[in-house]
């Protein structure tokens, strides 16, 4: 299974989601490949936000080796599942899709935790206190995702 986590800048939510899911699949000894990207290109090549790094570290996850990258159309072929952090990013990803097969790969990540609700993961960039909530939301979604596919 190849899974891509996608947010806006690929420095806050999607790096956390990538790190959490990598951590959880290692615990379960699953042979999955996880990556992340952003629909915006402002932070290409940058490390995750220091606040994302800190919250991941608090839970024993190191995301310092990640670098922000821009979502490209080839990602829609390369990955089995593309998980959007919010509805805006979902729409941006779907716009890149050239066929129904690609569109079907795109899902809202929180629908694994709360099916059918299309709940957004809030962008914590402007809220230092938001990183803990985002971590907890993504951890729950990642655990439910693993349960769903195993």
């Amino acid at each position: 299974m190849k899974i891509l986590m996608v947010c806006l800048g690929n420095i806050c939510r999607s790096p956390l989601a990538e790190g959490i899911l990598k951590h959880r699949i290692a615990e379960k000894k699953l042979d999955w490949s996880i990556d992340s990207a952003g629909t915006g290109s402002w932070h290409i090549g940058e490390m995750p936000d220091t606040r994302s790094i800190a919250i991941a570290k608090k839970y024993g996850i190191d995301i310092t080796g990640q670098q922000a990258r821009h979502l490209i159309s080839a990602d829609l072929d390369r990955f089995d599942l593309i998980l959007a952090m919010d509805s805006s990013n979902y729409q941006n990803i779907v716009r890149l899709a050239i066929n129904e097969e690609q569109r079907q790969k795109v899902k809202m990540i929180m629908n694994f935790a709360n099916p059918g609700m299309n709940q957004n993961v809030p962008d914590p960039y402007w809220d230092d206190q938001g990183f803990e909530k985002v971590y907890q939301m993504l951890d729950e979604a990642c655990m439910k995702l693993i349960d769903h596919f195993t």
Side-chain angles (χ1 to χ4, degrees):
M1 171 91 71
K2 293 184 210 156
I3 300 172
L4 182 66
M5 305 292 191
V6 181
C7 70
L8 187 59
N10 192 212
I11 60 167
C12 293
R13 295 170 290 176
S14 58
L16 265 178
E18 176 186 347
I20 292 166
L21 189 55
K22 281 181 173 178
H23 179 75
R24 295 297 185 192
I25 66 170
E27 290 175 337
K28 302 269 187 184
K29 297 179 176 36
L30 298 172
D31 186 24
W32 293 4
S33 174
I34 316 301
D35 195 4
S36 62
T39 57
S41 59
W42 310 278
H43 300 288
I44 293 173
E46 293 179 21
M47 286 177 58
D49 186 290
T50 55
R51 297 164 296 175
S52 285
I53 292 170
I55 198 70
K57 184 178 181 181
K58 175 181 173 182
Y59 292 98
I61 301 170
D62 181 5
I63 61 171
T64 59
Q66 295 183 32
Q67 280 192 332
R69 72 176 188 85
H70 194 234
L71 177 73
I72 57 172
S73 59
D75 288 330
L76 280 85
D77 286 324
R78 221 175 73 193
F79 291 91
D80 303 310
L81 188 59
I82 300 163
L83 299 175
M85 298 296 127
D86 62 37
S87 56
S88 174
N89 286 295
Y90 176 88
Q91 292 300 323
N92 289 334
I93 300 163
V94 168
R95 273 190 216 105
L96 278 179
I98 58 171
N99 58 45
E100 189 58 27
E101 180 184 352
Q102 289 181 343
R103 276 187 284 285
Q104 290 301 314
K105 294 178 180 185
V106 185
K107 310 286 183 203
M108 295 280 288
I109 190 168
M110 289 309 298
N111 279 345
F112 285 96
N114 303 305
M117 294 190 60
N118 295 327
Q119 179 184 10
N120 290 328
V121 177
D123 188 345
Y125 186 79
W126 301 107
D127 176 15
D128 291 348
Q129 306 310 308
F131 285 83
E132 177 69 37
K133 177 182 178 183
V134 166
Y135 180 91
Q136 295 302 327
M137 290 176 76
L138 292 173
D139 190 42
E140 179 186 9
C142 287
M143 294 296 286
K144 297 284 176 89
L145 184 151
I146 290 169
D147 290 346
H148 180 82
F149 287 105
T150 56

